[in-house]
Amino acid sequence: MQELSPAPVAVGLNGSAITFPLKGSATYTAVEGIDLAVRPGEFVAIVGPTGCGKSTLLNAAAGLLAPSAGQVDVFGAPLSGLNGRAGYLFQADALMPWKSAIDNVAVALEPKGVPRQQALEQAKAWLARVGLKSFVESYPHMLSGGQRKRVALAQMLIRDPEILLMDEPFGPLDAQTRQLMGNLLLKLWAADRKACMFVTHDLEEAIALADRVVVMSAGPAARIIGDFPVPLSRPRDTAEIRLDPEFHHIHKEIWASLRTEVQKAYGAEEIA
Amino acid sequence: MNRAKLLVLQVLVAVALLAIWHVITVYPIFGSVKNAQFFFSTPVDVLARVWRELSGTEIWGHLWITLQETILAFALGAGGGILVGFVFARNDLLAAVFDPYIKAANALPRVVLAPIFALWFGLGIWSKVALGFTLVFFIVFFNVYQGVREVSPTVLANARMLGMNERQLLRHVYWPAALTWMFSSLHTSVGFALVGAVVGEYLGSSAGLGYKIHEAESVFDVTGVFAGMFILAIFVILIDSLVTVIENRLLAWKPGQSNAR
Ligand SMILES: Nc1ncnc2c1ncn2[C@@H]1O[C@H](COP(=O)(O)OP(=O)(O)OP(=O)(O)O)[C@@H](O)[C@H]1O
Ligand SMILES: [Mg+2]
């Protein structure tokens, strides 16, 4: 499909499918026929039942997985190898356990050739920004799940990537902290509006944060079954916005399509 | 557990063992005392001999030789193990081709090599270093190989997404992962370096703790043999606690290292 707008799409998945080889000659097609365009400055949230292929999709956008069909475009150019313009916040723990928080963040600047002293100073500032001022010297095992995610967030943002890929970054947090972190993320994001793909299983969080919510069907061969704009004004407060009548309207609409997929994924008869 | 309490219990074990030993060798429970003393000596004699040895000068020369052999065997074995472990872990073909040879070499009892090493390297320290090397090398090799192979794929993917090149990955991911595994086997490999040295000395040399024990054994000086083993045990404990200090320092990032125990 030809884009008409002059600015190229930041991340474009065009008819992408991703198939995993299983034992023997069997294969498992996780996602299929994915068409998704994330424009520069756009915050897209991806929701879908567990195991549908959300992480797989991000891995494809990061260049960690090659699509078995279709292609991935990054700013108009087909992606081959790793996506060097993207930062990736992984769903699983990805910090180097042998480095303290500050070293984990500072090392992200080494590939850019930033001198170490300068990198450490910037890393310190970033840790302060994500509220970890007093955990600078802590090793990952000494941090809580949420604190580790914040270190990972700082590690991703310090490189100033043009595209942000985030896989359930607030997964291990309680509801209140999630909202605080959501506000923090929005604040950091609003500063220079990067293209953003944000995976979450929390629909309310998706609506509160994003410009668009993409709904995936249950796997195998999951597809995008809904693409809903979120015309809520910014700046937003992730807690207050949930009281907005428009929010409820959008939520109802998206949930209607998500619900059947979640039911399929769990094989449940009825979800209240 | 409380440190002082632990120490008291540990000392109690030693006292109990010495007491049993003393009773068996001084009172005629199992037949003649002479017989028992010929085979087991007595704790008082042994401790007196240990004291006499340690306050003399000769034993320190032997200890120094053994220490040198241990350190050299460990350093060379660990260095070789790290190098080869790294190369094999990063090169599947090489690892697959050499797999049966590595396994065969590791399964070989090292004692059979001792005379050959004596032939090749003479009766000085290098034949003992070689023996210790063959023990340390495989332990470190297998651990480093495993460590590099089992780096968390997420940590690796993350490092690559941060833009790291091969060299930076080596430095920030593979190397620390390999070292972790190497350090986890530090006690074992230092222990084996010492075993290599002492066994080598025992089988043929003119100096070192193993030689001392062998010398006593050849004249049925059981007290001398036990005294040698005692000194060896003290030596082992000292080296092992040094290793613990180094380990705690280098693995400060590991869970359960800093405040557990
Ligand atoms: N390496 C792999 N080999 C085989 N199958 C895989 C592999 N990776 C993922 N899958 C399968 O692909 C599907 C999608 O996985 P993915 O991790 O993308 O799900 P997800 O949507 O992120 O789920 P969650 O919300 O639980 O994180 C799953 O059914 C999973 O079993
Ligand atoms: Mg996932």
Side-chain angles (χ1 to χ4, degrees), chain A residues 53-71:
Chain A
K54 304 182 292 296
S55 301
T56 304
L57 217 56
L58 284 198
N59 284 338
L64 290 166
L65 280 177
S68 44
Q71 69 173 33

Side-chain angles (χ1 to χ4, degrees), chain A residues 167-222:
Chain A
D167 199 347
E168 300 195 19
F170 310 146
L173 302 184
D174 60 87
Q176 282 72 36
T177 318
R178 272 180 103 97
Q179 292 180 358
L180 291 179
M181 287 295 297
N183 282 337
L184 172 70
L185 178 65
L186 281 186
K187 201 178 94 195
L188 296 172
W189 173 76
D192 47 8
R193 294 228 171 186
K194 325 246 190 198
C196 183
M197 284 171 84
F198 185 96
V199 167
T200 175
H201 54 240
D202 181 347
L203 180 54
E204 291 195 19
E205 182 175 79
I207 300 169
L209 295 173
D211 296 317
R212 247 166 80 203
V213 176
V214 170
V215 180
M216 292 180 70
S217 70

